[in-house]
C-alpha cells in the first residue's frame, strides 16, 4: 500500500473515531491530523477540507460495494446499502451535514449516475427522464437515510422495494414516450 493511501486511511480513521465522540461540526482539521500525528499541511495535501475526507471515505466504501459481485443495478444498490450499514453511525452523522462539499450532495450525484445508467439501458433519454432521474435520486437519498435510522428495515427488502418502484416507473415512462397509454402499462 502506498504512503499516500496509508496517510489517507489514517486521517479517515481519525475522523471516524472523532465522529463517535462529538458532532461533525465541532471537529477541526487540526484535530483530525493531530490524532494521527500529522499536521494541517499534511491533511490539506490530501484533502480540500473535512467534507472532502468524508466523501473520500464514502467513495472507498462505494468501491468495496462495487467489487462485490453485482449482476445488475439493484445488486449494486444492495451492496452499497449493506456497506453503508457496516458504518451506520458514521453515515448517520455524516448525512446530517448540508452545504458545500457535503456527503448528501455527493451521494445524490452517485445515485443519479447509477439510476441514469439503469434507465439509459431501457429507454431513450430526454428532458423528462432527467427529471425522473433527479426525482429518484432524491427519493433514494431519503430512503437510504431512513434505512440507516430505522433498525426495523432490512436492506434486502428495502432494495427490493426500490427495485419495484424504479422498474414500474421506468416502464410507465417508457410507455408514454412511445405513445402507449398509461392504462396499458
Amino acid at each position: 500500500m502506498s504512503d499516500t493511501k496509508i496517510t489517507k486511511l489514517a486521517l479517515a480513521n481519525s475522523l471516524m473515531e472523532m465522529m463517535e465522540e462529538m458532532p461533525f461540526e465541532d471537529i477541526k482539521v487540526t484535530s483530525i491530523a493531530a490524532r494521527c500525528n500529522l499536521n494541517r499541511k499534511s491533511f490539506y495535501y490530501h484533502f480540500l477540507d473535512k467534507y472532502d475526507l468524508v466523501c473520500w471515505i464514502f467513495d472507498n466504501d462505494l468501491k468495496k460495494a462495487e467489487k462485490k459481485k453485482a449482476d445488475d443495478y439493484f445488486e449494486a444498490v444492495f451492496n452499497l446499502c449493506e456497506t453503508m450499514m457496516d458504518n451506520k453511525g458514521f453515515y448517520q452523522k455524516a448525512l446530517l451535514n448540508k452545504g458545500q462539499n457535503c456527503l448528501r450532495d455527493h451521494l445524490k450525484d452517485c445515485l443519479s449516475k447509477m439510476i441514469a445508467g439503469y434507465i439509459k439501458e431501457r429507454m431513450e433519454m430526454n428532458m423528462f427522464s432527467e427529471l425522473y432521474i433527479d426525482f429518484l435520486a432524491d427519493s433514494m437519498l431519503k430512503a437510504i437515510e431512513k434505512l440507516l435510522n430505522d433498525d426495523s428495515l432490512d436492506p434486502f427488502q428495502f432494495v427490493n422495494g426500490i427495485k419495484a418502484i424504479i422498474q414500474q416507473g421506468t416502464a410507465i415512462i417508457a410507455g408514454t414516450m412511445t405513445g402507449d397509454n398509461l392504462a396499458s402499462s
Side-chain angles (χ1 to χ4, degrees):
M1 190 179 315
S2 71
D3 288 344
T4 297
K5 180 81 171 182
I6 291 168
T7 301
K8 287 182 172 185
L9 287 171
L11 291 166
N13 289 331
S14 176
L15 175 63
M16 292 174 77
E17 288 171 5
M18 293 178 80
M19 285 178 70
E20 291 175 11
E21 302 163 7
M22 64 184 80
F24 180 75
E25 59 271 5
D26 293 346
I27 298 173
K28 306 290 182 227
V29 167
T30 305
S31 303
I32 297 168
R35 187 171 275 223
C36 49
N37 297 319
L38 296 169
N39 60 38
R40 288 179 72 233
K41 282 185 180 183
S42 296
F43 179 94
Y44 287 116
Y45 178 79
H46 298 286
F47 300 104
L48 298 172
D49 53 28
K50 64 184 183 178
Y51 299 95
D52 188 34
L53 174 54
V54 168
C55 291
W56 183 84
I57 293 168
F58 170 78
D59 289 341
N60 269 353
D61 283 347
L62 181 59
K63 285 176 191 170
K64 287 179 201 171
E66 289 171 342
K67 283 182 181 178
K68 293 180 182 177
K69 184 179 181 281
D71 293 330
D72 67 12
Y73 162 79
F74 297 104
E75 282 183 63
V77 171
F78 173 75
N79 292 342
L80 174 60
C81 291
E82 194 174 55
T83 301
M84 290 180 78
M85 293 293 285
D86 289 342
N87 290 314
K88 186 177 180 174
F90 168 75
Y91 283 112
Q92 285 172 328
K93 292 178 182 177
L95 286 169
L96 292 174
N97 298 292
K98 298 177 182 167
Q100 186 176 351
N101 302 329
C102 69
L103 178 60
R104 294 175 60 71
D105 292 345
H106 186 66
L107 176 55
K108 183 181 174 195
D109 288 343
C110 291
L111 292 169
S112 293
K113 288 174 187 167
M114 292 171 80
I115 294 164
Y118 174 81
I119 291 174
K120 284 178 184 176
E121 292 175 3
R122 286 152 183 82
M123 61 188 231
E124 188 176 317
M125 297 295 288
N126 61 32
M127 193 163 88
F128 185 70
S129 49
E130 291 299 321
L131 178 65
Y132 181 57
I133 290 166
D134 192 52
F135 172 78
L136 284 174
D138 280 334
S139 300
M140 283 188 68
L141 176 62
K142 292 300 284 178
I144 287 171
E145 288 177 320
K146 180 148 181 67
L147 176 67
L148 289 168
N149 290 304
D150 186 344
D151 291 332
S152 69
L153 292 176
D154 173 78
F156 184 74
Q157 290 176 334
F158 167 80
V159 172
N160 279 333
I162 296 294
K163 181 178 183 176
I165 292 167
I166 292 174
Q167 287 177 329
Q168 290 172 4
T170 302
I172 291 169
I173 291 172
T176 60
M177 297 300 158
T178 62
D180 297 343
N181 67 36
L182 288 175
S184 65
S185 37

